[in-house]
Amino acid sequence: MKLSKTSQLPLLIAGPILRKTTVNEVALWLVTSQPIKGEVLFFHPSEREAFFHYDAAQAESIRVGIHAWVTLASIQGEFPTDTPIEYKIKTDQGDITDLAPHLLYQGQSRLNFVIPTKADYVLHGSCRNPHHSSKDSLVAADSKVQSQTPLERPNILMMSGDQIYADHVAGPTLDAIGQVISLLGLPNEMLPTDSQQSQISSAEELYTSDFNFYQRDKVLPHHTGSDSFLDKLFPQRRVPIFSSRENENHLVTLSEFIAMYLLVWSPTLWALVNKEQLRDQNFRHGHYTLTPEEQQQWREENAAIEDFVQGLPQVQRLLAHIPTYMIFDDHDVTDDWNLTVGWEHAADQNAFASQVIGNGLAAYWLCQGWGNTPEKFDSAFIERVTNTFAINTNTAELNHNHQQILLQSLNRFEDWHYTIETSPKVIVLDTRTRRWRSESRMNKPSGLMDWEALIELQHQLMGLDKVIIVSAAPMFGVKFIETLQKMMTSLGQPLVIDAENWMAHPGSANTLISIFTHTKTPTNFVVLSGDVHYSFAYDIKLRYRKNSPNIYQITCSGIKNEFPAPLLKFCDIFDRLLYSPHSVLNYFTKRKRLKIEKRSPDNQSFYRLSNRSVIGELRLDDEGKPTEISTLSGTGENTHFPAP
């Protein structure tokens, strides 16, 4: 693959991102343009001599391109907790902060962090869309952290899904992704062909084809054979497997997924790409010239991307100082991912679809999942990934056979969930790959977790007095919106408004409610969620029980995304009218055993749903009850949700 500007490549491409942090382990994730040589040093504040040395040669490092190494340093030792630790990453080209001075807060000479034993101050959010017109609230979070001492900072940053939008990519971003692939020498890969559709057989053919920009929906796979009403009327009707309404730039290759992560977490590569390249070519790519409508869309997206890039130095700085944990949701891979058993079957039976999904999962592991739980991935797994990347000095090509073995193993992997051993314990749920499949209809929404996974969750909760549960989708959402989703499901169209809620599947809904009503589960539950592109907070009690647990559903979404405002107001009004705490309609829902009180945001008098791009801030008391539920917008405005 042709390379350009490689002489300009700095050593540090992305990171360091502070990942899993415990008394026995500190994980640091970073991407470099050369193999990293040097050491990581830990210091007590104000001391010149390091109390801990780690040889960077011990770190697991995977070469993903001619000029790209992804490294996870899982540093083992005995580390002090609840006290500041300063750190330096020294390389043969100098200290990391010499190479990227913007990583340091004002007055700092070294990066620092705290290993928390408590999770009583948590930043949380999801849904960060680079080309949404709103401000990036991670930038506002960094500005706030800048004014705090290390001990005043949040204990953890919990990113609960949609850290990238693989299925909704801006044209300028896709153009930058292509340039990054060339700059770093990310590998080409073989693509399955479909005689009825695409004859594009490799990544390089896709990149140079007329379908590369705003036309990918024409080469993405289709299927027949679902059991919707329309499909029964027209049995040969072909419908897209990737059904997102904005999938014309859907990521396809593993290199594209990797490049996307590098572009949303670091400003480095944006300085090396030409963001006006497509415009400079008069919006022509191959034989295809963008339509006037597509050109206008490109201009609007480009303006939003320019603003997004301006904030990336602060985002990179924030992630270097706060222990950060992540879990996927649909857009990290594709919209409607495992929504119904019919969708799963269609994707599994199509080699192209399976490869795209597998590439999304592989990139998620490489850039997110690995750092959550390094101990889950042994040397055999690392070797499987390494063998997939057949990289040498001059050529980069994925080994197709090893790639298929890797993707098959990722598809079977069911251990993405994890816990953070703080007080309260944080339990992070995988609500995507352990679905409770419907046995009655192919087109009926699957439960977000199957019976076995829910029973495992119940066993984890036994004996705890307080807990934070992270569920990508709200466990207790807006009932009126869930009613609309149910109506569309009844019409055989669950994908239209993503009927993705805990109450959509009777088995998972009833099992979940039973967990909360069990007498030996915690007294105080806090459920953190995102996904929906608006924010709200509910206080929940069991009806007809004197000693009810305290359940708090706290939803914050999106970090950089919003819901259509008129539609949200409409839903908010009807939810209040139809499903007040004393409404008789509650008795016809699966949550009839629960009494739900909705907190009012302090910046509006009537509406309960807050619609702005925000990061959530949660503070808990010693019993695990919220003392503050608030959001911080990308423009720096605070919204509080006081107790009812």
Side-chain angles (χ1 to χ4, degrees):
M1 183 173 287
K2 184 180 177 182
L3 304 180
S4 59
K5 299 185 183 178
T6 54
S7 61
Q8 302 176 33
L9 282 176
L11 175 66
L12 182 65
I13 300 297
I17 300 180
L18 189 63
R19 301 305 315 278
K20 182 180 181 181
T21 54
T22 70
V23 65
N24 300 120
E25 180 179 14
V26 174
L28 290 167
W29 181 93
L30 67 162
V31 180
T32 54
S33 61
Q34 299 175 23
I36 190 164
K37 299 174 183 177
E39 58 181 342
V40 180
L41 307 175
F42 289 171
F43 300 82
H44 295 298
S46 303
E47 292 189 0
R48 297 184 61 183
E49 295 299 321
F51 71 84
F52 189 90
H53 295 252
Y54 174 83
D55 184 355
Q58 300 176 48
E60 294 283 4
S61 191
I62 297 174
R63 191 179 190 182
V64 299
I66 295 174
H67 302 287
W69 279 259
V70 177
T71 299
L72 186 75
S74 178
I75 304 169
Q76 310 288 326
E78 292 287 335
F79 305 113
T81 59
D82 300 323
T83 187
I85 299 173
E86 297 182 347
Y87 73 101
K88 294 172 74 75
I89 303 175
K90 299 184 69 173
T91 75
D92 55 354
Q93 295 188 25
D95 187 82
I96 283 291
T97 54
D98 294 332
L99 304 177
H102 64 268
L103 289 172
L104 292 171
Y105 288 113
Q106 188 173 4
Q108 279 186 331
S109 59
R110 297 188 287 239
L111 302 169
N112 58 36
F113 66 99
V114 174
I115 298 174
T117 58
K118 293 184 177 181
D120 54 10
Y121 180 18
V122 178
L123 280 182
H124 65 103
S126 74
C127 308
R128 185 165 172 255
N129 182 354
H131 65 276
H132 191 271
S133 58
S134 58
K135 295 288 186 180
D136 188 350
S137 58
L138 285 184
V139 176
D142 174 78
S143 296
K144 182 165 186 175
V145 167
Q146 183 175 14
S147 67
Q148 298 172 319
T149 68
L151 291 176
E152 292 172 335
R153 293 176 191 159
N155 307 123
I156 62 173
L157 166 60
M158 186 68 238
M159 302 178 78
S160 57
D162 300 342
Q163 279 66 256
I164 64 168
Y165 274 68
D167 53 355
H168 185 196
V169 182
T173 304
L174 188 60
D175 194 12
I177 286 171
Q179 294 181 57
V180 166
I181 290 171
S182 178
L183 279 169
L184 300 183
L186 300 182
N188 183 37
E189 72 179 86
M190 296 170 58
L191 297 176
T193 56
D194 180 344
S195 60
Q196 296 180 346
Q197 202 171 346
S198 173
Q199 287 299 307
I200 294 174
S201 61
S202 72
E204 289 186 339
E205 283 186 29
L206 174 65
Y207 306 153
T208 57
S209 76
D210 294 347
F211 301 106
N212 192 48
F213 290 106
Y214 297 103
Q215 298 293 309
R216 291 190 172 192
D217 53 315
K218 295 179 174 59
V219 298
L220 291 173
H222 288 59
H223 74 106
T224 60
S226 74
D227 62 353
S228 71
F229 177 72
L230 282 175
D231 293 321
K232 289 175 181 176
L233 283 179
F234 306 100
Q236 298 306 311
R237 188 175 77 105
R238 292 175 61 80
V239 296
I241 295 175
F242 301 131
S243 63
S244 172
R245 293 182 299 276
E246 294 150 327
N247 66 358
E248 64 273 6
N249 287 329
H250 199 302
L251 301 184
V252 170
T253 70
L254 182 52
S255 291
E256 288 181 329
F257 277 95
I258 293 171
M260 181 75 169
Y261 280 107
L262 302 182
L263 289 168
V264 300
W265 284 343
S266 170
T268 302
L269 292 171
W270 285 106
L272 301 177
V273 303
N274 177 8
K275 293 189 285 294
E276 301 291 339
Q277 177 173 270
L278 195 59
R279 185 187 302 196
D280 294 345
Q281 296 169 347
N282 297 316
F283 294 105
R284 185 174 179 83
H285 180 79
H287 298 96
Y288 181 73
T289 301
L290 270 60
T291 65
E293 293 79 10
E294 290 168 345
Q295 292 179 32
Q296 181 59 30
Q297 180 180 343
W298 190 94
R299 293 186 187 97
E300 293 171 358
E301 291 170 343
N302 198 46
I305 291 296
E306 288 281 0
D307 185 67
F308 173 77
V309 172
Q310 290 298 314
L312 285 176
Q314 285 188 256
V315 173
Q316 188 178 17
R317 180 171 65 178
L318 175 72
L319 299 179
H321 287 82
I322 305 291
T324 302
Y325 295 85
M326 309 174 187
I327 190 65
F328 47 52
D329 201 15
D330 51 351
H331 297 292
D332 295 282
V333 177
T334 187
D335 196 20
D336 303 332
W337 182 29
N338 295 343
L339 180 58
T340 67
V341 67
W343 188 95
E344 287 192 61
H345 285 172
D348 289 345
Q349 292 167 12
N350 185 287
F352 193 164
S354 294
Q355 188 157 320
V356 173
I357 295 164
N359 285 340
L361 261 179
Y364 167 80
W365 172 79
L366 194 68
C367 301
Q368 298 195 62
W370 193 9
N372 292 328
T373 53
E375 70 280 0
K376 289 186 179 181
F377 306 102
D378 59 16
S379 58
F381 184 90
I382 302 296
E383 184 179 4
R384 197 175 301 142
V385 178
T386 303
N387 289 340
T388 298
F389 291 93
I391 314 290
N392 60 40
T393 305
N394 299 308
T395 62
E397 187 90 23
L398 291 186
N399 184 304
H400 185 70
N401 291 334
H402 283 293
Q403 180 189 18
Q404 297 309 308
I405 293 170
L406 173 64
L407 301 190
Q408 289 170 15
S409 68
L410 288 170
N411 190 48
R412 294 192 299 267
F413 188 73
E414 291 189 339
D415 204 10
W416 296 113
H417 54 284
Y418 58 95
T419 61
I420 307 171
E421 297 297 334
T422 50
S423 176
K425 178 183 284 189
V426 181
I427 299 176
V428 184
L429 305 180
D430 166 11
T431 59
R432 280 286 157 189
T433 72
R434 301 186 71 185
R435 293 279 175 128
W436 194 326
R437 280 85 180 175
S438 172
E439 297 180 0
S440 59
R441 285 171 52 197
M442 296 279 284
N443 217 30
K444 194 172 181 179
S446 298
L448 300 194
M449 287 170 61
D450 61 21
W451 186 84
E452 290 83 359
L454 286 167
I455 294 304
E456 288 177 18
L457 170 62
Q458 184 171 28
H459 286 309
Q460 284 183 295
L461 296 172
M462 302 288 269
L464 299 178
D465 58 343
K466 54 188 175 183
V467 68
I468 297 174
I469 299 174
V470 179
S471 166
M475 287 184 167
F476 307 99
V478 178
K479 290 182 184 178
F480 179 72
I481 294 177
E482 292 177 357
T483 300
L484 295 179
Q485 292 172 327
K486 185 175 182 180
M487 290 170 59
M488 294 308 299
T489 298
S490 300
L491 295 173
Q493 298 295 323
L495 307 183
V496 171
I497 50 175
D498 283 359
E500 222 149 22
N501 63 75
W502 280 89
M503 301 299 124
H505 185 279
S508 61
N510 293 327
T511 306
L512 180 70
I513 298 297
S514 296
I515 289 173
F516 285 105
T517 57
H518 197 287
T519 56
K520 293 185 179 180
T521 48
T523 303
N524 294 307
F525 289 90
V526 172
V527 182
L528 299 182
S529 303
D531 180 53
V532 293
H533 303 171
Y534 49 87
S535 303
F536 60 89
Y538 293 167
D539 291 49
I540 304 167
K541 293 275 193 178
L542 302 181
R543 296 183 190 270
Y544 320 119
R545 201 166 110 184
K546 186 175 290 187
N547 297 317
S548 169
N550 302 305
I551 306 167
Y552 306 93
Q553 171 66 67
I554 303 169
T555 302
C556 179
S557 178
I559 291 175
K560 195 179 189 300
N561 216 335
E562 295 174 357
F563 202 87
L567 180 58
L568 188 65
K569 288 183 176 179
F570 171 82
C571 293
D572 200 345
I573 290 169
F574 275 87
D575 189 67
R576 289 201 64 186
L577 289 174
L578 299 177
Y579 295 104
S580 68
H582 302 290
S583 170
V584 69
L585 293 179
N586 291 313
Y587 293 92
F588 296 96
T589 72
K590 297 182 182 71
R591 292 181 286 191
K592 53 184 172 289
R593 288 181 281 174
L594 305 176
K595 181 181 179 182
I596 298 177
E597 290 193 72
K598 304 163 188 174
R599 296 195 179 203
S600 299
D602 64 357
N603 64 341
Q604 52 195 35
S605 57
F606 178 79
Y607 296 104
R608 300 292 187 262
L609 306 178
S610 179
N611 190 24
R612 56 172 55 174
S613 292
V614 289
I615 190 79
E617 292 187 89
L618 170 68
R619 294 181 186 269
L620 304 175
D621 63 18
D622 290 340
E623 295 180 342
K625 296 179 181 179
T627 59
E628 179 186 341
I629 299 172
S630 62
T631 60
L632 177 64
S633 75
T635 54
E637 298 168 300
N638 284 105
T639 301
H640 297 271
F641 293 79

